[in-house]
Amino acid sequence: MNLRNGIVFLFLLGLFLGRAEARDNRGVSRKFKAKKRIIHREINYTLKQNWLKLANTERGAVQALITLLEKSKTGKVLLRRAEKKAMKGGQQLLDVLLAGEGSLTDTTLIRKFYPSQPDNVIYESRSKVFINRRLNVKDALLDMAHELTHFSYRMPFNPYQGPFDLKRFVTSTVEGKGGEVEAYLVECKVLFELIPSERERDSNCLKVVEPTTGRLSKRRGVQQFYRVGRHYRHFRRNLTSFDLSLGDFPRLSSSDALFISSAYGLPYPLAAIKEYKVIMGKACQNDHKRLGLLRQQLKVLQGTGRSPARENLYYNLSESYKTRCRNFPAS
């Protein structure tokens, strides 16, 4: 809370789900022979070297990685889309892409309102894309493609407004626009375009290739990403408190899980449930504080004849809070 400006900032915990799988599980052969490449004819590198060594600064290394990704047809289209998205937020792509401790797209929803006008709420969404600083050039390229798909295409969400239930969140996270399946398909396209020999290797990308056509398939991807293995019963137990059943997730499978969230160490459907609980817990905590502020204001205005609007606001927010936050009681 900034007392000087009189503005209350309530930050929603940044949403992120880790990469579609641990890099060691990518399935790409370790016997790949690194070849010398040249960026703008002045930077020598191998695909196995650390990507930060592409330049003398982190920003320069990110730019070099962008240059490499542009060599892929899919990567070039993705970068143009990401640039437009960054520009809408008043930024350049290099302002959005950063080196980090892990590869992830960190999206933060910011809610702002004046204490004197709690009914006038402004929402802003901001995203940063981080690439694991410990990766080699090849893996960093694939992570960049994956995370930029999230950044460029994932639909925005708001736990304070509109439909934001568990079913929608899980399906959107796994199979929705810019979700984990699409991000992984883009990653595989970039891999096949930049290193064609990988198509013939024992890669997990081959698990999302349609056998009849030989093409990368979203249908196959969805099928593989909903495999939760030994977590099947755990997933089912999580649904009961949200009035859901396994029938709400017809693609869920008890087959061994192939794709694991690095953020939670769980198959993506389970990781999405955990993420939903984190987000809603924080949102409901914030709404509980806002209700408290409104109650205080109603006491001050009581008897002045100036409280009907605030009373309506309090009633509507209170009813919404009861419905949305019944599984997330305030501590």
Side-chain angles (χ1 to χ4, degrees):
M1 181 180 294
N2 189 323
L3 297 178
R4 289 176 298 177
N5 295 326
I7 302 177
V8 176
F9 290 87
L10 296 174
F11 290 87
L12 174 64
L13 184 67
L15 169 66
F16 65 90
L17 286 173
R19 291 274 296 101
E21 54 183 325
R23 188 59 58 186
D24 289 342
N25 294 331
R26 184 185 298 284
V28 178
S29 172
R30 297 285 181 179
K31 295 180 181 180
F32 175 76
K33 293 182 179 180
K35 295 182 180 179
K36 287 283 186 177
R37 307 277 175 161
I38 297 177
I39 303 174
H40 291 162
R41 295 187 297 180
E42 73 267 9
I43 303 176
N44 294 324
Y45 74 98
T46 67
L47 291 174
K48 286 189 175 182
Q49 78 179 60
N50 182 275
W51 72 273
L52 288 176
K53 294 182 179 179
L54 292 172
N56 294 326
T57 65
E58 286 191 358
R59 190 176 179 89
V62 171
Q63 179 60 68
L65 212 56
I66 290 173
T67 301
L68 280 178
L69 186 57
E70 282 182 326
K71 295 179 182 295
S72 157
K73 179 181 177 181
T74 299
K76 183 176 291 187
V77 173
L78 178 61
L79 286 166
R80 298 294 85 79
R81 176 89 179 204
E83 286 172 351
K84 290 180 181 179
K85 175 75 177 289
M87 287 177 65
K88 286 183 179 179
Q91 295 178 301
Q92 299 296 317
L93 187 55
L94 281 173
D95 299 322
V96 173
L97 281 166
L98 303 165
E101 294 308 304
S103 294
L104 58 94
T105 302
D106 187 358
T107 300
T108 303
L109 180 68
I110 303 171
R111 186 174 69 156
K112 300 190 251 184
F113 63 89
Y114 288 92
S116 59
Q117 296 178 302
D119 55 326
N120 184 19
V121 183
I122 300 173
Y123 298 96
E124 294 179 6
S125 182
R126 298 175 186 172
S127 296
K128 294 287 185 181
V129 174
F130 296 93
I131 307 301
N132 190 328
R133 62 177 68 252
R134 292 181 293 275
L135 295 179
N136 62 34
V137 172
K138 184 182 74 173
D139 289 344
L141 273 171
L142 300 182
D143 273 20
M144 179 179 280
H146 186 106
E147 299 305 332
L148 282 180
T149 303
H150 290 325
F151 172 76
S152 303
Y153 294 99
R154 189 154 54 192
M155 298 299 293
F157 63 89
N158 188 336
Y160 300 102
Q161 294 180 329
F164 187 74
D165 56 47
L166 179 63
K167 181 180 178 180
R168 286 186 178 89
F169 185 75
V170 173
T171 55
S172 174
T173 296
V174 176
E175 59 186 287
K177 190 71 174 175
E180 293 302 330
V181 172
E182 290 194 356
Y184 191 65
L185 291 174
V186 168
E187 175 183 338
C188 290
K189 285 181 182 179
V190 169
L191 175 66
F192 291 164
E193 289 170 4
L194 292 180
I195 315 174
S197 61
E198 290 298 325
R199 179 177 284 276
E200 307 302 324
R201 295 177 183 274
D202 183 19
S203 167
N204 271 350
C205 285
L206 296 179
K207 293 182 175 67
V208 294
V209 170
E210 196 69 58
T212 56
T213 64
R215 296 180 179 178
L216 291 163
S217 163
K218 183 172 181 178
R219 185 194 72 83
R220 287 277 294 176
V222 170
Q223 183 183 62
Q224 303 289 16
F225 269 74
Y226 273 110
R227 294 170 60 164
V228 298
R230 60 186 176 86
H231 299 282
Y232 190 82
R233 290 183 180 179
H234 183 204
F235 185 90
R236 182 174 59 190
R237 286 196 299 270
N238 272 275
L239 300 180
T240 55
S241 60
F242 294 94
D243 298 325
L244 296 172
S245 68
L246 291 174
D248 290 295
F249 300 93
R251 297 180 178 88
L252 195 77
S253 168
S254 59
S255 299
D256 289 343
L258 295 175
F259 297 97
I260 305 297
S261 163
S262 61
Y264 292 101
L266 292 168
Y268 268 91
L270 261 297
I273 289 178
K274 277 190 170 289
E275 191 67 29
Y276 178 80
K277 289 179 177 180
V278 170
I279 293 168
M280 286 305 299
K282 186 65 175 178
C284 290
Q285 186 181 70
N286 289 342
D287 271 347
H288 186 262
K289 292 177 181 178
R290 189 175 173 214
L291 281 168
L293 180 62
L294 281 169
R295 276 196 299 269
Q296 292 176 5
Q297 292 182 347
L298 285 173
K299 288 181 181 179
V300 173
L301 294 173
Q302 203 168 30
T304 65
R306 294 184 296 165
S307 63
R310 295 293 169 86
E311 288 175 353
N312 288 335
L313 173 62
Y314 179 82
Y315 175 79
N316 292 334
L317 181 59
S318 179
E319 291 302 304
S320 172
Y321 175 81
K322 290 176 184 177
T323 301
R324 293 182 300 107
C325 299
R326 62 186 179 86
N327 292 313
F328 307 96
S331 55

